[in-house]
Each structure stands twice: as C-alpha cells, then as structure tokens.
Amino acid sequence: MREEKKCRVFKYFLWQHRWQGVLCAAFALVFALILGLYDLETEAVLYASGLCLLLGAAALGVSFLIYCREHGERVQILRNVELLADSLPNPRTLAEADYQEMLGKLKEAYDRNLTEWQNERRESMDYYTTWVHQIKTPISVMRMMLREEDTEEYRELLEQLFWIEQYVEMALNWTRLGSDSSDFVFEECPLDKIVRQALRKYAPQFVRSKISLSYEATDITVLTDEKWLLFIIEQLLSNAVKYTKKGSVSITVTPDKVLRIADTGIGIAPEDVPRIFEKGFTGYNGRADRKSTGLGLYLCRLTADKLSHSIDVESRVGEGTVFFLDLHSDALWVE
C-alpha cells in the first residue's frame, strides 16, 4: 500500500513538473545544436548536453524530495484538520495564498452555520424537555381519575395511558441522549434490583395480557448506570408485551453477565433481524401492528453503546424472540 502511495505521489509530481522537464530537454537540445554549428567534437557536444540533463534531473530530484515533504505536512494537517485549520504553513506562492484565503472563508462560513445549528438544536432540546415535563402533569391527573372506578373500560384506558407515559418517557430519554452534557454515572449496581424495578412497572401489563413471567433471581453486580440500564430493560420488556399475544416471557442471567429476555411472541422476520436496531425501522411486524415507532430498539442500541454494553437478538417467526444484553463493561470509571 505504501509503494502504491509513493507511485501515486510520483505520478502527480511528474505531471505537475512536466513542462520543466520539457524545457530542460529543449535547453540541452539547443545547447547541442549550437555547439554542433562550431564543428566541435561529438564527444564534447554529448558531454555538455549530458551535463545539462544531469543538472536538470538533479534539480527535479531535489524538487521531488521537497514535494514529498510538503505532501507529508499537508497529510498531517488533514488528519487533524479541525485542530490545525488555523495553523496552515505560510504560503510560498500566490496560488497557495489564494487557496488558503478560500479555505479561511469556507471555515468562517462553516463555523457560523455550526453555531446557528447548535443554537437551534439547543432550543429544540429545551422545548421538548419542557414539554415532556409539562405533559406529565395532566397524565398524572388522568391516572388518578381513572383509578376511581374499576371497570373494564377504565382498565383499558389506564393501559393506554400507561403506553402514553412510556412514549413520553422515551421522548425525554431521546433528548437526554442527544444532549451535549453527560447524564451517565457509572457504579457497581446489583442487577437483581434493576430487573425487579422493571418487572414491577410492567407487571400490570403482563397480568392484563395473561402472559406468564419467569425470572431467576441473581446476585450479580454490573458496572453500569442504573437509570439507563433500567431504560434498556424496560424497552425490551415493552416489546415482549406488545408482540406476545399468548405464552410467556422469561428472564435469566448467565454467569458471564449476559441478561437474556426471551418471549414466545410472533417473532421477527429473518430479513428484518439485521435492521431492527436502525433508527425508524419498524419492519413487517411494526407496519402490520401499527404500534411500533421504530425508536425503542434504536435507543436501546444507542444507550448500550454509551454504557459499553452490547445487545443482540435471535428470533424465529411464530416461535418467539430472544434478546441478549451483554453487561461486561471494560475500562469504565467508577464513581
């Protein structure tokens, strides 16, 4: 690869200095013709022409070394262009000065547009964060009102209100993940405590959907952020409840800290499995059921990456889906 790069640089150099080479050869030819007119020895004429060509080749060789050095400097700047954009080498020609001036103008325009985009994004984040907090108040009021009577209609409304709360919480987490500030606090957390929090939250949904649940308690601790790991587990349980019409959901933890959440739901189409963690992707099940936003699993993958965890899935249509959450976290700072 390095030899190919050297050949590429050499080709560019020859093309850029082609006229210097032509002039050097022309000067040697003119020199030979003039000396030939004076009936000098052939060897003397060839010797003088050879010297001219040798000096020209030496000059081109020195120019090539300088060309390579300058190319190396530009490559270093390119690798750190955001840091070194303001420390370009002094221009040696008018063309270089013109190019650097154009780069300076482009950088000013880029910085201006970036600042405007950051301000707009910050305002948008502030708005959504405020909206999420404000919408929680009427949701809480509606929940209290619906709990006053225990009828099938009210229970159905409570369930729909529960999903509204989950979507609102998802929107809030979306804004937090997109924020410039870090919302993560890493510490050794008991995994059993986090899983049980998620189960308590989704227990009414399991009961109402008549889905059996099995969970094997664990004494494993993991290095993670408790709030964000809880968010991932809740999203996986949410999917299990949505797409399991009957059957069961089981949660187990392997000795090597892999959390396994399996359901006996409708499963995922084979062609959809590689894309389920993509932003906005709903797949066949999501389009047919019209309940999927295409954000839940995307946020799970995004959050898992930030926690230094990994998430994977296996699924068969009509048999169920298994999510694997690897909770190994290497080289994280414990607070």
Side-chain angles (χ1 to χ4, degrees):
M1 182 63 69
R2 296 183 65 180
E3 293 298 326
E4 292 180 2
K5 185 177 180 181
K6 289 180 180 178
C7 291
R8 178 170 169 269
V9 173
F10 186 65
K11 289 178 182 178
Y12 275 114
F13 172 79
L14 289 181
W15 179 255
Q16 184 174 335
H17 293 81
R18 62 190 184 280
W19 294 115
Q20 289 90 326
V22 171
L23 285 174
C24 183
F27 288 154
L29 180 61
V30 170
F31 191 63
L33 289 175
I34 292 176
L35 291 179
L37 292 176
Y38 288 91
D39 296 326
L40 296 178
E41 294 288 338
T42 302
E43 292 182 358
V45 174
L46 293 177
Y47 182 72
S49 299
L51 283 178
C52 289
L53 292 175
L54 184 62
L55 288 173
L60 285 175
V62 172
S63 297
F64 179 68
L65 293 177
I66 297 174
Y67 186 84
C68 289
R69 186 192 66 199
E70 293 175 348
H71 173 68
E73 293 174 353
R74 291 192 295 271
V75 169
Q76 290 298 324
I77 293 174
L78 184 60
R79 289 173 179 171
N80 304 277
V81 65
E82 294 183 358
L83 301 176
L84 302 177
D86 296 324
S87 58
L88 295 174
N90 294 326
R92 284 179 284 270
T93 64
L94 181 60
E96 289 186 3
D98 292 339
Y99 285 130
Q100 288 195 15
E101 185 176 357
M102 284 187 282
L103 286 174
K105 296 294 184 182
L106 288 173
K107 185 176 183 301
E108 290 177 4
Y110 170 79
D111 290 341
R112 184 171 56 253
N113 291 334
L114 179 61
T115 301
E116 292 176 358
W117 176 80
Q118 288 175 335
N119 290 335
E120 291 176 0
R121 185 170 180 270
R122 191 176 298 109
E123 291 178 0
S124 177
M125 290 294 183
D126 291 342
Y127 168 76
Y128 283 116
T129 302
T130 303
W131 179 85
V132 167
H133 286 294
Q134 289 177 337
I135 203 66
K136 285 185 174 182
T137 301
I139 288 176
S140 300
V141 174
M142 285 189 287
R143 177 171 292 280
M144 288 189 298
M145 294 174 63
L146 290 172
R147 282 179 175 172
E148 292 179 357
E149 293 191 31
D150 186 17
T151 64
E152 182 61 27
E153 182 180 6
Y154 275 41
R155 284 195 293 270
E156 177 65 28
L157 290 173
L158 275 172
E159 181 179 0
Q160 297 304 318
L161 192 61
F162 172 83
W163 291 115
I164 291 174
E165 286 180 305
Q166 302 317 300
Y167 294 138
V168 168
E169 192 66 27
M170 185 187 298
L172 180 59
N173 287 323
W174 170 273
T175 60
R176 287 172 177 167
L177 286 172
S179 174
D180 295 331
S181 59
S182 176
D183 190 44
F184 295 90
V185 177
F186 293 99
E187 57 186 354
E188 289 286 350
C189 303
L191 182 57
D192 185 74
K193 173 186 173 184
I194 301 174
V195 173
R196 289 185 184 277
Q197 286 185 62
L199 292 179
R200 281 194 296 270
K201 183 174 183 178
Y202 278 85
Q205 308 307 316
F206 281 99
V207 173
R208 182 167 178 79
S209 301
K210 298 180 181 179
I211 302 171
S212 64
L213 173 68
S214 64
Y215 167 59
E216 299 177 9
T218 178
D219 58 356
I220 288 177
T221 61
V222 293
L223 182 58
T224 189
D225 180 289
E226 179 177 345
K227 179 182 70 175
W228 286 105
L229 179 57
L230 176 63
F231 168 73
I232 296 176
I233 296 174
E234 287 179 352
Q235 288 300 311
L236 297 180
L237 288 178
S238 171
N239 274 23
V241 172
K242 285 180 184 177
Y243 299 111
T244 303
K245 304 303 181 183
K246 61 179 180 177
S248 63
V249 173
S250 63
I251 304 174
T252 55
V253 183
T254 65
D256 53 348
K257 297 185 178 182
V258 176
L259 180 67
R260 179 180 178 274
I261 300 179
D263 64 58
T264 58
I266 60 177
I268 304 171
E271 63 272 18
D272 290 342
V273 171
R275 300 188 58 193
I276 62 171
F277 294 107
E278 293 180 9
K279 178 182 176 183
F281 182 75
T282 58
Y284 174 80
N285 293 338
R287 291 189 295 271
D289 195 64
R290 296 188 180 182
K291 291 182 180 179
S292 177
T293 61
L295 291 178
L297 291 178
Y298 167 74
L299 292 178
C300 283
R301 168 60 61 83
L302 187 63
T303 306
D305 289 344
K306 289 180 178 291
L307 294 176
S308 191
H309 301 328
S310 63
I311 187 171
D312 204 356
V313 62
E314 292 180 1
S315 184
R316 291 187 178 181
V317 175
E319 296 184 16
T321 302
V322 184
F323 282 96
F324 302 92
L325 185 60
D326 190 339
L327 300 175
H328 285 99
S329 299
D330 300 325
L332 289 177
W333 182 262
V334 182
E335 294 188 9

